[in-house]
Amino acid sequence: MEEKKVLSSVKDEELIKKRRDQMIKGALTLFKEKGFHKTTTREIAKESGFSIGTLYEYIRTKEDVLFLVCESIHGEVLKRLEHVMERNKPSAENLGAVISSFFRLMDEMQEEILILYQEVKSLSKETRSAILQKEKEMALMLEKAITASLPNEISKKDITLLANNIMIQGHMWGFRRWMLQKEYTLDEYIEKQIHFAFLAMGIHYAK
């Protein structure tokens, strides 16, 4: 599958990043209040601090903004997982640290995750496919973390299932928060989910 590119008429890469970061922040504020479809590009431009003309120098459609939000989430997950993996040696404790770090990031980004779950189904086929590809890449990152932490201890098929379980459990903290966050603190939720993951694998885990 060819990677989706968000086109810009501006050539300065630093300026593109700066403006798009502003755009993502502004759009998220509006999406949380009104939803993706009720938000206009003119409102996104105003919330981002520039004109509608300037907005269209950095994107082509409103869907581009939602895709950039997804890319931002994906980038943060990659950075967080790489950081955790760099400072630990392969072990069950390392995998526990990876899961914990992922869940904490999902807690920080729960509004963004909720928006993606709510809006992705109504996007164009191209943008929807690109966002779903990012989801697959996120699961693959978790698979690599599991493999690096527990080499040769569980099968490839089980690694794939575990990675997807971790990803959905991380997302669930946000989209089921109306119930879960009344019953559990974030620390309690993380501890329970790590316990269940290692219990299912039959691997001893000492916190």
Side-chain angles (χ1 to χ4, degrees), residues 85-144:
M85 293 303 297
E86 284 173 359
R87 60 185 173 86
N88 290 282
K89 295 179 180 179
S91 65
E93 288 70 30
N94 181 56
L95 181 56
V98 169
I99 297 171
S100 178
S101 183
F102 179 74
F103 283 178
R104 291 186 190 284
L105 179 59
M106 293 300 98
D107 176 63
E108 293 168 21
M109 305 187 79
Q110 56 186 282
E111 293 286 354
E112 289 90 329
I113 296 295
L114 188 60
I115 287 167
L116 289 178
Y117 268 90
Q118 290 173 334
E119 307 295 355
V120 71
K121 62 183 180 297
S122 53
L123 297 176
S124 69
K125 183 178 179 181
E126 179 192 7
T127 304
R128 184 169 65 248
S129 295
I131 288 176
L132 292 176
Q133 181 60 33
K134 291 294 181 185
E135 288 283 300
K136 290 179 183 178
E137 290 172 9
M138 195 182 298
L140 284 173
M141 283 190 284
L142 288 167
E143 283 189 41
K144 289 178 182 177

Side-chain angles (χ1 to χ4, degrees), residues 3 7 11 23 36 48 53 61 69 88 109 115 118 122-123 141 143-144 147-148 155 176-177 180 186 188 193 199 206:
E3 186 175 352
L7 300 176
K11 303 303 179 186
M23 202 182 301
F36 172 74
S48 303
T61 68
V69 169
N88 290 282
M109 305 187 79
I115 287 167
Q118 290 173 334
S122 53
L123 297 176
M141 283 190 284
E143 283 189 41
K144 289 178 182 177
T147 302
S155 69
R176 296 282 294 179
R177 61 189 175 189
L180 290 171
L186 177 60
E188 289 169 341
Q193 294 292 9
L199 191 65

